[in-house]
């Protein structure tokens, strides 16, 4: 069975989808990226695969096609299960049917799921995933909400028999914005949220330009370099955090 990892954030604008796309693109094992957003085709656009997608998660759940028929090849090791851009019928992002799809995919792939911002985890959701990656910007407001989300995940997980890891991923990061956001250092980010640090993904205009133009992830950008380190840690490799001046880590 592959790993099942949820990328989640308490607020919009945290860069969760971008983080999921780049970490999935940098994955070390055959992976499936699932867009659970009920009214969006965001991940297909971010991966430059919008023109290649025919079927989607809605079609699988409502019996319009088989699961394998809805997967889009994005690279040799990455497949995408997109969401419908304008679905006729609503679909709860982590309904029982969606969780069954994720379970089925995990028989062959590591599954990374992009969860809509503001989703409140329940017992079924925490039982479905092996790890929750909380994506947050390094400012006081974002970290405060990330802390509340961390507590909600732990509360829901306590009611299940399945262990669930929680990690913090700092996204859209720059030292200047951290300072302006009222945060002294990355130690404070970790202490505020109450979760181990998985990695730091920098704000990267090259990566954003690729996304906004509907191109595949830019493999040469700075964001991809840090995404590779993050993907390696998810795969169980021991990769040190960047301790250089760019992030001024003090952990």
């Amino acid at each position: 069975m592959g790993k099942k990892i949820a990328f989640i954030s308490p607020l919009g604008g945290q860069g969760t989808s971008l983080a999921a796309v780049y970490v999935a693109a940098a994955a070390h094992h055959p992976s499936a990226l699932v867009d659970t957003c009920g009214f969006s085709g965001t991940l297909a656009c971010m991966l430059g695969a919008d023109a290649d997608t025919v079927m989607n998660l809605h079609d699988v759940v409502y019996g319009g096609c088989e699961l394998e028929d809805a997967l889009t090849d994005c690279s040799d090791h990455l497949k995408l299960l997109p969401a419908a851009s304008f679905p006729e019928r609503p679909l709860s992002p982590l309904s029982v049917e969606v969780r069954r799809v994720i379970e089925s995919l995990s028989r062959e792939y590591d599954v990374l799921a992009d969860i809509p911002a503001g989703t409140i985890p329940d017992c079924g959701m925490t039982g479905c995933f092996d790890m929750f990656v909380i994506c947050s910007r390094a400012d006081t407001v974002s970290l405060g909400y990330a802390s509340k989300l961390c507590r909600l995940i732990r509360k829901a997980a306590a009611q299940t028999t399945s262990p669930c890891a929680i990690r913090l991923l700092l996204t859209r990061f720059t030292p200047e914005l951290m300072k302006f956001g009222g945060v002294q250092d990355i130690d404070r980010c970790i202490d505020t949220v109450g979760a181990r640090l998985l990695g730091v993904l920098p704000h990267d205009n090259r990566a954003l330009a690729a996304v906004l133009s509907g191109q595949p992830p830019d493999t040469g950008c700075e964001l991809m370099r840090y995404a590779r380190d993050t993907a390696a840690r998810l795969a169980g490799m021991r990769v040190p955090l960047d301790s250089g001046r760019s992030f001024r880590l003090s952990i």
Side-chain angles (χ1 to χ4, degrees):
M1 298 290 286
K3 297 179 180 178
K4 295 167 290 182
I5 302 169
F7 282 71
I8 190 169
S9 62
L11 301 169
Q14 301 298 304
T16 306
S17 295
L18 185 65
V21 163
Y22 269 79
V23 172
H28 291 72
H29 301 290
S31 302
L33 181 59
V34 182
D35 190 345
T36 69
C37 298
F39 295 90
S40 170
T42 305
L43 298 193
C45 294
M46 287 184 167
L47 285 163
D50 195 34
D52 299 325
T53 59
V54 179
M55 299 299 182
N56 53 62
L57 178 60
H58 280 69
D59 295 316
V60 176
V61 169
Y62 292 120
C65 70
E66 296 296 325
L67 176 56
E68 285 297 325
D69 296 331
L71 296 176
T72 299
D73 291 320
C74 296
S75 69
D76 293 339
H77 71 274
L78 178 61
K79 293 183 181 291
L80 169 67
L81 179 56
S85 297
F86 300 99
E88 295 181 0
R89 288 182 285 182
L91 178 63
S92 174
L94 267 303
S95 62
V96 173
E97 293 80 9
V98 173
R99 295 201 299 266
R100 286 173 180 165
V101 169
I102 292 172
E103 292 284 354
S104 296
L105 283 171
S106 68
R107 295 168 189 162
E108 297 184 49
Y109 309 100
D110 285 345
V111 181
L112 291 76
D114 181 23
I115 310 299
T119 299
I120 299 176
D122 58 19
C123 299
M125 181 178 178
T126 54
C128 177
F129 290 102
D130 303 309
M131 179 183 291
F132 283 83
V133 177
I134 299 177
C135 299
S136 175
R137 299 177 65 170
D139 62 74
T140 302
V141 173
S142 298
L143 293 169
Y145 278 98
S147 174
K148 294 178 182 179
L149 177 60
C150 185
R151 292 196 297 270
L152 287 172
I153 294 172
R154 285 205 174 97
K155 181 179 179 180
Q159 302 177 51
T160 72
T161 57
S162 302
C164 174
I166 305 174
R167 297 291 184 268
L168 169 64
L169 182 61
L170 294 176
T171 51
R172 303 182 65 179
F173 183 90
T174 67
E176 293 76 18
L177 287 178
M178 180 173 70
K179 179 180 179 181
F180 293 149
V183 182
Q184 295 177 345
D185 52 35
I186 291 190
D187 277 338
R188 181 62 58 86
C189 299
I190 299 169
D191 292 341
T192 299
V193 177
R196 288 177 57 186
L197 182 65
L198 175 65
V200 181
L201 299 183
H203 178 79
D204 190 328
N205 287 327
R206 277 184 60 180
L208 288 175
V211 165
L212 293 175
S213 60
Q215 300 298 317
D218 186 335
T219 58
C221 69
E222 185 183 28
L223 177 58
M224 180 59 83
R225 179 165 69 89
Y226 285 94
R228 289 192 184 102
D229 288 347
T230 301
R233 295 185 195 104
L234 288 175
M237 302 178 189
R238 296 181 64 85
V239 180
L241 291 164
D242 188 332
S243 59
R245 291 184 302 170
S246 60
F247 287 161
R248 301 171 190 161
L249 297 182
S250 57
I251 60 176

